[in-house]
Amino acid sequence: MAESKIRDENYFQVTGWMLNRLNLKGTALLVYAIIYGFSQDGESRFTGSLQYLCDFTGATKPTVIKALKDLAEQGYVLKT
């Protein structure tokens, strides 16, 4: 198994509006919060790997892929 890219000082934050306004939960909530943390300034974007999201959420690749697809379909993330 590959070594995780998550460093001890890495973190992400789930905020109330992600729950209350977007109604996110589970893996989709965690994936969104991670991506949001990298892109909230409106200029930056998340360029991490699928494995990074798997490592941070503890989810499998198929689960993270489904979460990303659902977030894109809802218009919450944009894949470029």
Side-chain angles (χ1 to χ4, degrees):
M1 186 166 132
E3 187 175 326
S4 174
K5 301 283 185 188
I6 309 300
R7 295 184 304 235
D8 288 345
E9 62 273 7
N10 290 146
Y11 69 94
F12 65 95
Q13 180 176 341
V14 173
T15 58
W17 62 266
M18 293 174 187
L19 299 162
N20 298 329
R21 291 189 214 156
L22 303 183
N23 296 312
L24 294 173
K25 59 185 176 181
T27 302
L29 171 63
L30 300 179
V31 168
Y32 182 83
I34 293 166
I35 292 171
Y36 182 79
F38 282 92
S39 58
Q40 61 185 309
D41 66 2
E43 295 178 16
S44 303
R45 65 181 79 176
F46 176 74
T47 58
S49 67
L50 183 61
Q51 188 61 52
Y52 182 87
L53 294 172
C54 292
D55 290 347
F56 229 140
T57 63
T60 64
K61 283 186 180 183
T63 300
V64 170
I65 290 168
K66 181 180 181 329
L68 288 167
K69 181 179 180 242
D70 292 346
L71 289 167
E73 286 175 357
Q74 293 171 315
Y76 295 152
V77 298
L78 176 64
K79 184 177 178 181
T80 57

